[in-house]
Amino acid sequence: MAATADRSKPYIPHNSGANDGWSTEDAATATCFCGAVQLSFPTQGPGFIDSFVCNCTDCRKITASMFASNFVIADSHLTHVRGRANLRTYSQSHTILSGNNMTNHFCGTCGTLMYRVGAAFPGCSILRIGTVDDFNLHETKLRPRVELFVKDRVSWFTGVEGAKKYEMSYGGPKAQDEGQESQKSTL
């Protein structure tokens, strides 16, 4: 179901402690639940890199859901509008496929996970689509184009229609089109 019938205009519901989210043709904001942390980012290249759903066990645990919906932004294009000092971090490597450290940046007040950074993705931040203030972007520019770790996908989720599927992680030309068997790809 679409956020609103007219996807050409922003749809920014009052869904956090702040009511100042925005989006334009080229950029938008992502805000935590309490409103203390807000980021701005490009919604297209060159700073916008990709969007994806991840079914890995790590994403399941940190989202308290069965998958995470994400998008990748070049750090050079990510702006901390407010609340950078309010961000807290948690880092670990023992559940990460590459064995590299992954650091979660979350709001110290409400706990919203705003983004992750990791050695396997130098110069990039992985943001959560659900933090984006304009809900129409969830259905349009940020709609996941890739699905990762399909081997760990729950049976009742059939995946993102039309997305390239990877049995495991990003990393190579081993993605398959919708309906074809996924191939193992590692970083």
Side-chain angles (χ1 to χ4, degrees), residues 38-177:
Q38 188 174 67
L39 308 169
S40 68
F41 60 90
T43 58
Q44 52 196 22
F48 178 85
I49 297 169
D50 211 349
S51 57
F52 67 98
V53 162
C54 186
N55 299 287
C56 80
T57 57
D58 197 47
C59 282
R60 283 177 155 195
K61 188 60 83 167
I62 63 172
T63 61
S65 185
M66 295 296 98
F67 57 88
S69 52
N70 310 288
F71 61 104
V72 183
I73 299 295
D75 289 340
S76 59
H77 290 75
L78 181 63
T79 302
H80 291 78
V81 176
R82 67 170 172 265
R84 188 173 202 156
N86 197 42
L87 287 171
R88 301 296 178 263
T89 61
Y90 173 75
S91 299
Q92 60 92 19
S93 62
H94 66 277
T95 64
I96 307 301
L97 177 66
S98 67
N100 293 322
N101 209 39
M102 183 71 85
T103 302
N104 300 318
H105 294 258
F106 56 94
C107 175
T109 303
C110 68
T112 301
L113 178 58
M114 297 302 294
Y115 58 93
R116 302 180 88 195
V117 296
F121 306 96
C124 298
S125 293
I126 303 166
L127 285 72
R128 300 297 191 216
I129 293 174
T131 63
V132 175
D133 297 309
D134 181 354
F135 277 30
N136 277 341
L137 290 175
H138 303 178
E139 303 260 357
T140 56
K141 292 182 176 185
L142 300 178
R143 187 181 192 285
R145 299 185 298 198
V146 173
E147 185 178 356
L148 305 178
F149 289 90
V150 295
K151 72 177 189 66
D152 293 325
R153 184 195 305 147
V154 294
S155 64
W156 49 261
F157 176 55
T158 58
V160 180
E161 185 178 329
K164 288 184 179 178
K165 314 287 190 217
Y166 290 86
E167 183 177 317
M168 293 177 70
S169 184
Y170 257 136
K174 297 184 181 179
Q176 297 296 311
D177 293 329

Side-chain angles (χ1 to χ4, degrees), residues 13-31:
H14 184 71
N15 64 344
S16 72
N19 198 23
D20 61 349
W22 53 266
S23 74
T24 65
E25 182 64 29
D26 300 322
T29 55
T31 307

